[in-house]
Structures are given as C-alpha cells and as structure tokens.
Amino acid sequence: MATSTRSIEFTLSGRVVAWLAGLATGAAWIGDNANARLAAAMLVAPLLVDFLLKPRRLHETRIRLAPRRTVAGAAFTERLVVEHAGRLPLRECLVAEPRTMRTEPPALLATLRAGTPGHVSYRARSLQRSHIVERVFVLMSMWPLGMFRARAIVAVAADLVTEPPRIPLSVEVVRAIAERQAAHVGSAPLPGADFHSLREHLPEEDARAVHALRSASLGTLVRRVTQGQLPHTAGLVLDLRRPPGRPLHQGARRFEWSLAACASLVAELRRRAARVIVLVIDAEPVSFTVQGPAQETDLLTLLSEATPAAHHPLRPDVFDALRRLEHCFWIPAGAYMASPEVAAMPGVVTVVGGDFE
C-alpha cells in the first residue's frame, strides 16, 4: 500500500506576495527607509499567518468508502466518509480522486471537526478496464488566506473493479444464439415453458425464477421449476494468446474490444437463460461454468484483470467439456486467428470478431 504524503506549496497569489515582500525587504535593508520597512512588514505578515495556520496533519485524514464495481466509461456517484485527525477543525478542504475525476471538479468539504465524520459525494467515471485494490485521493486546503496550499495524498485500501464496456453484438452472433435456443425448445403444444414444481432457491442461481408469493408465505426463497423449454448450455472460448512470434504489447484495440464482446455475449446468453461454459486461455487455462450472478461476477472480475498471453500449446483435455457441446463461440482476443484448436472442435464454432479491423 502506498504511503500517505503531505506538502505545503505556494499558490499563484502567494508567489506574487512573496516576490513583492522580497523586494520591499531588500529596499528596506539597502535604503534604511521606514516606509519600506512598513511595506515589507505588511507583506510578510499575511504570509506568516497563512503558513502558521495551515493544517499540518492533513495526510492523517482517514477516508472510508465501500468497494465499487462499475463498467468502463459509465458514470457513478461515489460517497466518502472523511475523518480529520487534527485538533483544530479542517476548513474548506477539496477532495479529488485523479483516477476517476479527470473532468469533474473536486468536492468541497466545508468544515470538518476532529472526531466528527463528514460525508462527501462526487460524480466519477472509470475509463480504463482494471481491477485495483488501492484508491488514491488528493486533499487540498488553502484556508485561511490562500497564500499557501496544504496538499496531502491519502491512499485507501478499497476495491475498484472496472468491467469491460458492453457493446452491441453482430447480427451473425445474435442469429447463432437464437438458433441454438430454438433447437432446445420442447414439443409442448403451446409456446414457452410449463410449470412443474417448486424447490429451494440456491444463492448462486438467477433470482428471476424466484416465486415471490410462495417465498413470502414460507419465509425462505423458493424457485419455479419448469419443463417444456430446457435450459441449454453454450460454450465460449476466450483466447488471450498472441500469435507465435508477436509481441504482447501490440493489438491492444482488438484485445479490449474482444473482452467487451465476451462480457456482452455472456450477458446475452444469461438473459436467454442459458448455462455458459467459459474457457479462458491464458498462461494457465481457466474454466468457468456461468449459471448464476455469482459466477458471472467472477468472470467479469477476471476480464477486468486480463492481459495478453504469450503463445503456448494446449493440452488436449482442456477442451473436454466443450467438445460435448453442439455449438461454441470462439473469441480470439489475442488475434491468434490460425488456432488449430478451432478446426479440431467437433461441433459448430462461431468466431466472434474474426473480421475485426
């Protein structure tokens, strides 16, 4: 964790007054003029008063905030709890987070007394996909006269997960999803699913199937079990490998687009009540079975941390779970388009982003 630091620096008006005070002091010393001594004293006095009254323990200010999960580029409102450690009240303090407030003005904390927590709200926006465990805030105070600026950098241990942005899926991908969903519709005389029974709702399952009235009467969550339209399973491969011999730092635009496409595709499949088996080909392959909000959150966290991987061969058993499926989506995030594993898949494979430019 970064160490909190502090500093006191001149403001623009303070520099001008200090420059004039230096000239007046030099004139009083050289010319031994009473008016020059008076002018020097009148200019030096506000500098000394402002410097002595500046808060000295601004870096010990404690900031508390909740973990935050957001989508890249989406605006959100952040709420902070600020506690001042000094004996004297902290007045006219500006609070800013450079990472998320690039275009927003700092938030003003008018007066904060010692031992009394203050609350600050500000509009923020995280522009880059990332997962950070430490957030850095800048506190500034020019009280009382504005000749000096007390500045402190305060690091706070708090999670900020910035998921990839959601993008519209291509017509071919949406058509492939609809075709696989239609293939699993049962032979019921009426469209849709038929009610079968009720059972206990598990925490990792989608809450949209919870039976509200029955859950209220029993005091515990129960969900509907339907028949007629069976929940189908979709496969998804996110290949983070770069082509052989290609450097890792190239292809960033395609890489970010592919992660956004992966998040959007999983969201669309989950919206259609599909169970998704996701294989992320990284330095070490990672497999997810997304069938509820908890697994989807874990996958999005992995996407927020993903980086391109060097090319390496894969073990044949990595694709065992996907080879049993009739259809699979393949996203070449690392631009490895000639992957031999695509041709070796027995079912239908839809390459997402194959014509990316």
Side-chain angles (χ1 to χ4, degrees), residues 192-198 209 223-231:
D194 296 331
F195 174 81
H196 179 262
S197 61
L198 295 173
R223 63 181 288 117
R224 296 182 295 272
V225 178
T226 58
Q227 288 184 345
Q229 182 175 346
L230 301 178

Side-chain angles (χ1 to χ4, degrees), residues 18-283:
W19 182 72
L20 294 175
L23 292 178
T25 302
W29 181 70
I30 294 174
D32 194 19
N33 187 292
N35 293 330
R37 288 195 296 269
L38 178 61
M42 294 178 64
L43 291 170
V44 171
L47 291 173
L48 291 176
V49 170
D50 192 51
F51 182 78
L52 293 176
L53 292 182
K54 275 290 178 285
R56 295 293 190 274
R57 304 180 64 183
L58 195 60
H59 64 292
E60 297 180 3
T61 302
R62 293 184 293 271
I63 298 177
R64 301 197 307 270
L65 70 163
R68 169 70 59 179
R69 177 177 291 271
T70 184
V71 177
F76 60 91
T77 300
E78 193 63 272
R79 295 175 175 83
L80 308 179
V81 178
V82 185
E83 294 183 5
H84 179 47
R87 294 184 297 105
L88 299 177
L90 179 62
R91 305 178 187 276
E92 299 179 9
C93 181
L94 297 175
V95 182
E97 185 183 16
R99 184 184 184 90
T100 62
M101 299 176 66
R102 298 182 181 181
T103 59
E104 297 291 334
L108 175 63
L109 189 62
T111 302
L112 183 62
R113 300 186 180 277
T116 303
H119 300 271
V120 177
S121 298
Y122 60 88
R123 294 280 290 174
R125 191 187 307 266
S126 182
L127 300 179
Q128 296 181 348
R129 174 189 59 85
S130 59
H131 180 194
I132 60 175
V133 297
E134 180 183 80
R135 302 180 66 173
V136 179
F137 295 89
V138 177
L139 279 66
M140 294 176 293
S141 177
M142 292 189 294
W143 186 87
L145 301 179
M147 304 295 177
F148 293 90
R149 179 189 296 109
R151 179 186 176 96
I153 298 178
V154 180
V156 182
D159 264 12
L160 174 60
V161 179
T162 306
E163 302 172 358
R166 308 302 190 263
I167 60 175
L169 299 174
S170 65
V171 176
E172 292 76 10
V173 174
V174 175
R175 184 183 298 116
I177 296 174
E179 290 175 354
R180 298 317 307 166
Q181 184 182 31
H184 288 78
V185 176
S187 57
L190 296 176
D194 296 331
F195 174 81
H196 179 262
S197 61
L198 295 173
R199 65 168 175 83
E200 183 181 0
H201 175 73
L202 301 179
E204 65 272 9
E205 293 179 324
D206 195 340
R208 288 176 292 184
V210 170
H211 195 291
L213 296 178
R214 193 58 177 167
S215 298
S217 62
L218 295 177
T220 184
L221 292 178
V222 294
R223 63 181 288 117
R224 296 182 295 272
V225 178
T226 58
Q227 288 184 345
Q229 182 175 346
L230 301 178
H232 62 285
T233 301
L236 173 59
V237 178
L238 178 64
D239 192 354
L240 304 180
R241 297 175 300 170
R242 292 286 291 153
R246 298 282 187 87
L248 298 181
H249 64 274
Q250 294 181 356
R253 182 167 171 263
R254 182 193 184 100
F255 189 82
E256 296 299 329
W257 182 92
S258 299
L259 296 182
C262 180
S264 304
L265 181 56
V266 171
E268 178 64 21
L269 291 170
R270 290 295 305 138
R271 188 183 69 82
R272 296 173 181 261
R275 174 174 171 264
V276 189
I277 299 178
V278 183
L279 174 63
V280 180
I281 304 178
D282 204 343

